[in-house]
Amino acid sequence: MGDHSYKNSKSVIAANHKLLASVIGSHDEAVNAAVHHYTKSFRGFSVMLKPDHAEQLSGSDSVLSMFESKPNVIHTTHSWEFLGLNNIQQYDQPSTSDVIVGVIDSGVWPESKSFNDVGLSPVPSKFKGKCSTGENFTLSNCNRKIVGARFYYKGFEADVGPIESLNMTHSLSPRDTDGHGTHTASTIAGSIVPDVSLYGIGKGTARGGAPGARLAIYKACWFNECSDADILSAMDDAIHDKVDIISMSLGPGPPQTPYFKNAISIGSFHAFKKGVVVSASAGNSFLPSTATNVAPWILTVAASTIDRDIQSNIYLGNSKIIQGFSINPTTMERFYGLIAGSAAAAPNITTANASFCRRNTLDSTLIKGKIVICALEQIRDDRWGKAVAIQDGGGVGIILVDPLAKDVGIQFVIPGTLISPEEAEELVTYIEAEKNPVARISQTMTVIPSKPAPEMASFSSMGPNVINPDIIKPDITAPGVNVLAAWSPLATEFTAGRRTDYNVLSGTSMSCPHVSGIAAIVKASHPSWSPAAIKSAIMTTATIHDNNKNVIVRLPNGTQTSPFDYGSGHVNPAAATDPGLIYDFDTSDIIDFLCSTGETPAQLHNITGKMIYCKNTLPPSYDFNYPSIGVSNLRGRVSVHREVTYYGEGPVVYKAEVDYPTGVDVTVSPAELRFEKMGEKKSFDLHLTPYNTSNGGFVFGALTWTDGIHLVRSPIGLNVVSL
């Protein structure tokens, strides 16, 4: 229902009930039907309605938009060293203690050492949030690190039913029983904790990217699912509470819905308008055109590896070693027989079905005391369940042939490891050559440094942006593979039933908080910068090269990548605090952009909360002052316009350097930008002249402005339709 002028939340709720009663029939029914009231940063509500009542309510003059609440899913140490933050004092200056990061996730485990507040100053006076109590969560669970904590569940219960009826471990409070929220929060701003590991794996000092920053916790996710209605309520509170950054390692499944029908897009627009940076995960959907959270006012994060491998190798009876990957805390003291699942089919089960090692498909007399080799039927197979099935049949180990072997650190209930299909060929050769093949699975060891790194994770969702392909998405990539961070000891689903205080996870859920932490560092260095300026600084200072100085490739097969994989590149936090130039934009620029893409006044109303009419003359959508440059429908010669703002000391000259997209000539006018003082703005045009069509796909290049010290790089993505 947009912005409001009511004097307090109570007045908004009363007005909402009155409006609902006019449709439903009575005040009491209106009160019972309401799920959430949004009263702080904008006016609105979520409500259980019959279709005819919903249609009637949508016709009210005060209702700007209405859409169905849908479920979102969570996108599930050394990583900060890999990003170059070795000197904590250099990048985590005292001013970061004034930065507050709001984490919308599954809550927090406050007893973790990662959330101790030793040495922190009092809570910043600007913070307006609160510490909500509930089951197993008291006021004492908040401190100078966890400055606020709230929880939301009415939307989830409206979708799924009462949480109490689900018979799953939970706490109706900000306490995290899933582990995910604790992991992401500690990655962002966890305190410094020495000598941390997972059963000795990845041993080192655990820390967040901005260990001096504060955390405000908004628990809106339950059992890996987060309701639109609860997320929007959390965002309303977070904006009102005066957080500086909102971090969301969650999102809708693909395809991305239009902005005006998407709760995260609408809520994050209001956050952007109030000066709050919103960082969100791109998703774990593997394929092109599946990236979510793609609104241009959101910082969208892909996932890539760090230079640490977590290996659990296989020692064969012929003394050969096969490289495997998993989190295997136990040691096999001797060799055991090997058998393929396909060779151990239970009666009336086909060999193909048995190869997947599902429950009740294996003959226990054949697998007892042996290591079983299993296959995946589909990429989202239940990997943990295969090990349980083998354990139930008396098997002692599992070797799983998995294209994602390097991407996913898994803990099995028995000794186990993942191997690539290529390594599996060598294993099969050995089994066929030996009458009694045997093997031993080693305890996990940590290999640092590994090369090449980073590599794009195979699961990381890719562009192009299905809503506005002129906006290249994702924006950035960051560490999201086998990341060690704090954990809830009650969350044993991902730890093979073992209780642990720290855990290793993979996903864009893990990469997003890395970027949120870096946004906190940039915000601390430049408190007056807009969300767009902070976003620009992070994007234009990124790198597209790995530690072999080659262009980043994509797992599992080292395939070629593009900005649709990594956006502007791999995040570089040290450079992001001093980008040299930034591309800035505000809400009026966003509105012009949306108008240029054909959004109607009614649709703009839905997003902005105000009745807005587009200008008669609008710049084309590719002229939106975004840090990357995209033209999805290039027909003949086109000129793209941009403006940069100088942030540096004294006079300087920046010169343009172009990495030419295949089949397109690029000139920059002017080719030099001269600045006299900080804050000065300069415009330029990028003239694109195609001489070959791109055959239905995009071609890529880059524009880099440099003064000899700074490299301000923007990827270019062009779809040449005609010459």
Side-chain angles (χ1 to χ4, degrees):
M1 302 178 75
D3 296 333
H4 68 81
S5 57
Y6 290 94
K7 61 181 180 180
N8 54 37
S9 294
K10 186 177 180 180
S11 301
V12 177
I13 294 171
N16 288 350
H17 285 155
K18 183 177 180 181
L19 176 62
L20 271 174
S22 70
V23 172
I24 297 177
S26 76
H27 180 270
D28 288 346
E29 288 178 300
V31 171
N32 291 332
V35 177
H36 284 299
H37 293 277
Y38 312 122
T39 65
K40 298 169 182 174
S41 307
F42 44 86
R43 182 188 173 194
F45 55 85
S46 50
V47 59
M48 297 290 288
L49 284 179
K50 295 178 180 178
D52 56 334
H53 287 157
E55 184 177 356
Q56 186 180 346
L57 183 64
S58 67
S60 170
D61 291 340
S62 58
V63 175
L64 306 184
S65 67
M66 180 184 294
F67 52 91
E68 182 181 357
S69 177
K70 296 180 179 178
N72 295 266
V73 294
I74 60 175
H75 290 150
T76 279
T77 64
H78 175 70
S79 60
W80 288 112
E81 293 179 12
F82 180 57
L83 293 176
L85 292 188
N86 296 318
N87 186 336
I88 294 170
Q89 294 302 320
Q90 183 178 354
Y91 302 113
D92 190 49
Q93 301 165 356
S95 59
T96 54
S97 65
D98 292 329
V99 179
I100 303 168
V101 183
V103 185
I104 301 178
D105 211 298
S106 66
V108 68
W109 189 263
E111 291 82 7
S112 171
K113 293 179 181 178
S114 289
F115 304 120
N116 81 75
D117 62 356
V118 175
L120 289 178
S121 57
V123 176
S125 59
K126 68 180 180 181
F127 185 62
K128 305 302 179 186
K130 67 176 184 177
C131 188
S132 300
T133 60
E135 290 181 357
N136 304 310
F137 201 94
T138 67
L139 290 176
S140 65
N141 291 129
C142 292
N143 57 14
R144 293 181 178 187
K145 169 61 69 176
I146 301 172
V147 297
R150 301 175 185 260
F151 63 107
Y152 313 83
Y153 60 92
K154 292 181 179 178
F156 178 84
E157 288 195 331
D159 290 339
V160 177
I163 290 173
E164 298 288 351
S165 68
L166 299 179
N167 196 28
M168 299 174 73
T169 302
H170 69 275
S171 288
L172 281 178
S173 73
R175 181 170 293 278
D176 180 19
T177 55
D178 295 345
H180 191 270
T182 299
H183 199 281
T184 57
S186 65
T187 301
I188 297 166
S191 301
I192 300 165
V193 184
D195 199 29
V196 166
S197 69
L198 175 63
Y199 317 122
I201 301 163
K203 191 171 185 179
T205 297
R207 55 160 297 194
R214 317 306 179 105
L215 293 165
I217 304 300
Y218 302 88
K219 180 179 178 179
C221 301
W222 302 83
F223 317 118
N224 300 331
E225 189 171 298
C226 326
S227 164
D228 269 350
D230 293 336
I231 292 170
L232 201 56
S233 189
M235 296 184 81
D236 183 31
D237 280 338
I239 298 166
H240 171 266
D241 292 347
K242 303 296 184 183
V243 304
D244 299 292
I245 294 145
I246 292 176
S247 185
M248 295 194 294
S249 291
L250 54 90
Q256 168 83 51
T257 53
Y259 306 142
F260 59 89
K261 289 186 176 180
N262 179 258
I264 293 175
S265 298
I266 292 172
S268 60
F269 178 86
H270 286 280
F272 180 94
K273 187 167 63 173
K274 296 292 178 65
V276 179
V277 178
V278 177
S279 170
S281 47
N284 304 329
S285 295
F286 297 91
L287 301 173
S289 303
T290 61
T292 58
N293 296 322
V294 296
W297 49 90
I298 296 174
L299 185 49
T300 312
V301 189
S304 43
T305 66
I306 59 175
D307 64 339
R308 178 182 67 197
D309 280 346
I310 296 177
Q311 296 182 4
S312 295
N313 295 331
I314 304 165
Y315 291 81
L316 302 179
N318 62 1
S319 299
K320 289 188 176 181
I321 301 173
I322 292 179
Q323 189 178 67
F325 302 89
S326 72
I327 299 168
N328 183 34
T330 57
T331 301
M332 277 189 168
E333 300 294 345
R334 63 180 183 85
F335 284 84
Y336 292 90
L338 279 171
I339 188 170
S342 57
N348 302 317
I349 301 296
T350 65
T351 57
N353 197 11
S355 70
F356 305 129
C357 301
R358 294 196 189 89
R359 191 180 294 274
N360 299 322
T361 64
L362 300 173
D363 188 330
S364 59
T365 60
L366 296 175
I367 68 170
K368 187 175 181 179
K370 293 184 178 179
I371 300 170
V372 184
I373 304 162
C374 305
L376 291 178
E377 183 175 19
Q378 55 185 358
I379 207 69
R380 296 190 184 276
D381 260 6
D382 177 8
R383 292 164 172 80
W384 292 274
K386 298 176 189 296
V388 172
I390 292 168
Q391 182 185 51
D392 289 348
V396 296
I398 177 173
I399 298 172
L400 180 60
V401 182
D402 190 341
L404 304 186
K406 199 173 179 181
D407 276 0
V408 184
I410 290 182
Q411 297 181 57
F412 294 111
V413 294
I414 52 178
T417 192
L418 311 180
I419 63 173
S420 69
E422 292 74 25
E423 297 283 3
E425 292 178 7
E426 184 174 349
L427 183 61
V428 169
T429 300
Y430 166 69
I431 291 174
E432 290 176 346
E434 294 287 334
K435 183 177 181 181
N436 296 302
V438 294
R440 177 175 64 85
I441 301 172
S442 71
Q443 187 175 10
T444 300
M445 59 182 179
T446 305
V447 179
I448 300 176
S450 62
K451 291 186 176 184
E455 297 173 286
M456 292 306 302
S458 57
F459 56 75
S460 186
S461 292
M462 302 163 64
N465 179 344
V466 297
I467 305 298
N468 299 120
D470 286 344
I471 303 295
I472 295 173
K473 290 284 181 170
D475 292 312
I476 199 80
T477 189
V481 175
N482 293 333
V483 175
L484 178 67
W487 190 248
S488 166
L490 296 183
T492 58
E493 177 185 357
F494 297 104
T495 57
R498 308 176 184 99
R499 290 173 67 98
T500 182
D501 295 324
Y502 288 83
N503 196 16
V504 170
L505 290 184
S506 298
T508 53
S509 277
M510 284 62 253
S511 56
C512 170
H514 280 88
V515 172
S516 303
I518 294 163
I521 295 172
V522 178
K523 178 71 175 177
S525 300
H526 305 280
S528 64
W529 276 13
S530 69
I534 293 172
K535 178 174 186 169
S536 174
I538 291 172
M539 290 173 63
T540 60
T541 56
T543 177
I544 63 168
H545 294 103
D546 61 27
N547 55 5
N548 282 332
K549 299 184 179 180
N550 297 319
V551 175
I552 296 168
V553 297
R554 189 177 183 93
L555 290 170
N557 300 317
T559 50
Q560 184 179 353
T561 57
S562 78
F564 289 160
D565 295 274
Y566 50 66
S568 292
H570 189 258
V571 69
N572 181 354
T577 60
D578 180 25
L581 304 176
I582 62 168
Y583 295 83
D584 209 351
F585 58 86
D586 58 21
T587 52
S588 63
D589 297 315
I590 291 173
I591 289 165
D592 285 347
F593 165 76
L594 293 173
C595 285
S596 70
T597 61
E599 303 285 1
T600 65
Q603 291 167 336
L604 291 172
H605 209 179
N606 294 354
I607 298 169
T608 66
K610 296 180 179 179
M611 183 54 70
I612 294 172
Y613 294 93
C614 296
K615 300 172 184 175
N616 291 329
T617 303
L618 288 164
S621 59
Y622 50 72
D623 277 353
F624 180 54
N625 205 44
Y626 209 67
S628 58
I629 298 166
V631 182
S632 61
N633 192 15
L634 182 58
R635 298 176 183 272
R637 189 175 189 271
V638 163
S639 294
V640 176
H641 185 76
R642 287 291 188 274
E643 179 185 80
V644 290
T645 306
Y646 171 54
Y647 281 91
E649 299 294 334
V652 69
V653 177
Y654 276 83
K655 296 181 180 181
E657 298 177 354
V658 176
D659 176 12
Y660 293 89
T662 302
V664 181
D665 185 51
V666 181
T667 58
V668 185
S669 178
E672 291 187 358
L673 300 176
R674 295 180 178 272
F675 299 94
E676 298 298 326
K677 59 183 179 180
M678 182 183 294
E680 192 175 353
K681 298 178 185 294
K682 296 285 184 179
S683 297
F684 65 89
D685 292 302
L686 202 68
H687 305 294
L688 308 171
T689 306
Y691 53 87
N692 278 325
T693 59
S694 49
N695 298 319
F698 277 73
V699 291
F700 299 97
L703 167 67
T704 302
W705 289 102
T706 180
D707 63 350
I709 299 173
H710 301 87
L711 296 173
V712 187
R713 185 181 184 278
S714 296
I716 300 171
L718 309 173
N719 181 23
V720 182
V721 177
S722 61
L723 304 181

